[in-house]
């Protein structure tokens, strides 16, 4: 049985759409209510322990909780020190939905990410103050904000470094400094935007102007 089953994106593609970059013909009409009913059914059938969503804006969360019999337990979204998701977190908290932070280091090395989060001079200097690495501070920040933090590494040394972030305690001045840093979203996902077949004509539509 799966622990957690997520709707990965608020997008519906045809069953035959297998490419990472969908073409115009791959899009089907999005019907969130029916999709969520299917998620609730999988829970009822005992196929998973929990159901949730990913990449949902606060507006989409509000739409979903309006008709859901079982609300999502989690919304997995991009969140790090430079994309802090303040509004979304408030809405999720109101509905008892955990926010799970993906790309907590800003996804360095991934085609959509960069080193901007790890290399930010202010963030690096706060990390140094704690004798921690920038990555450890990044993870400790997400945890201090009450989020689940899902970092990825294939390197054993960095895995240990990342786990050690659990020992790091931040102070209010660290959190305040982070709040003043200019925001930058890494994953915009233009691939789900098109004029003809996608429900989203612009990137702003996809994220309900929360970008
Ligand atoms: N729901 C969604 O749409 C969605 C989207 C994106 C990602 N995710 C999930 O989120 C998780 C993590 O996200 P992500 O991979 O995008 O971003 P991330 O965890 O921010 O970044 C991963 C990158 O950081 C490097 N790294 C890890 N620890 C490090 C450290 N201590 N110092 C320096 N570099 C370090 C890794 O390289 P090494 O392996 O060489 O250490 C890897 O290249 C994954 O499980 C992924 O599946 C979900």
């Amino acid at each position: 049985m799966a622990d957690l089953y997520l709707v990965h994106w608020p997008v519906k593609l045809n069953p035959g759409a297998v490419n990472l970059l969908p073409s115009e013909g791959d899009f089907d009409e999005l019907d969130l209510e029916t999709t969520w009913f299917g998620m609730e059914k999988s829970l009822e059938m005992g196929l998973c322990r929990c159901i949730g969503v990913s990449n949902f804006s606060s507006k989409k969360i509000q739409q979903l909780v309006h008709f859901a019999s079982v609300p999502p337990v989690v919304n997995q979204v991009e969140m790090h020190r430079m994309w802090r998701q303040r509004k979304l977190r408030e809405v999720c908290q109101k509905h008892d939905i955990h926010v799970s932070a993906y790309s907590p280091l800003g996804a360095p090395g991934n085609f959509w990410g960069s080193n901007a989060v790890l290399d930010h001079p202010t963030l690096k200097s706060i990390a140094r103050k704690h004798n921690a690495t920038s990555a450890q501070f990044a993870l400790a920040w997400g945890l201090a904000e009450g989020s689940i933090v899902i970092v990825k590494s294939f390197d054993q040394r960095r895995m240990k470094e990342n786990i050690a972030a659990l020992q790091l305690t931040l102070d209010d001045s660290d959190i305040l400094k982070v709040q003043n840093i200019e925001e930058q979203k890494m994953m915009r996902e233009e691939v789900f935007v098109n004029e003809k077949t996608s429900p989203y004509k612009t990137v702003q539509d996809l994220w309900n102007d929360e970008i």
Side-chain angles (χ1 to χ4, degrees), residues 150-184:
I150 48 168
V151 63
K152 181 184 74 185
S153 178
F154 287 104
D155 179 277
Q156 227 175 62
R157 186 182 54 80
R158 283 192 285 275
M159 285 181 198
K160 285 185 183 154
E161 176 187 331
N162 294 344
I163 287 170
L166 288 167
Q167 311 307 324
L168 190 58
T169 308
L170 304 180
D171 48 59
D172 291 348
S173 72
D174 303 331
I175 303 286
L176 259 175
K177 279 183 193 146
V178 173
Q179 276 168 18
N180 291 325
I181 288 174
E182 197 181 337
E183 298 217 76
Q184 182 184 330

Side-chain angles (χ1 to χ4, degrees), residues 70 95 108 147 170:
V70 181
H95 296 288
S147 297
L170 304 180

Side-chain angles (χ1 to χ4, degrees), residues 20-40:
L20 197 59
L21 303 179
S23 59
E24 281 185 2
D26 288 336
F27 287 81
D28 199 351
E29 198 177 328
L30 177 66
D31 174 358
L32 206 48
E33 220 166 316
T34 305
T35 300
W36 194 250
F37 179 73
M39 297 295 284
E40 290 174 340

Side-chain angles (χ1 to χ4, degrees), residues 85-150:
Q85 299 277 22
R86 198 177 59 82
K87 181 179 172 195
L88 180 72
R89 285 193 276 144
E90 277 171 16
V91 170
C92 286
Q93 193 179 27
K94 193 172 144 207
H95 296 288
D96 280 333
I97 299 168
H98 295 283
V99 171
S100 174
Y102 75 65
S103 303
L105 307 180
N110 286 319
F111 67 90
W112 67 87
S114 82
N115 285 318
V117 176
L118 285 182
D119 288 349
H120 194 287
T122 310
L123 300 173
K124 276 171 94 170
S125 81
I126 301 171
R128 269 197 302 274
K129 185 185 88 177
H130 289 283
N131 286 323
T133 64
S134 189
Q136 287 172 327
F137 172 37
L139 303 176
W141 174 82
L143 294 169
E145 292 288 323
S147 297
I148 302 163
V149 176
I150 48 168

Side-chain angles (χ1 to χ4, degrees), residues 53-56 61 73-77 88 92 97-100:
V53 294
S54 179
N55 297 298
F56 271 44
I61 289 288
V73 295
V74 71
N75 186 15
Q76 187 183 110
V77 291
L88 180 72
C92 286
I97 299 168
H98 295 283
V99 171
S100 174

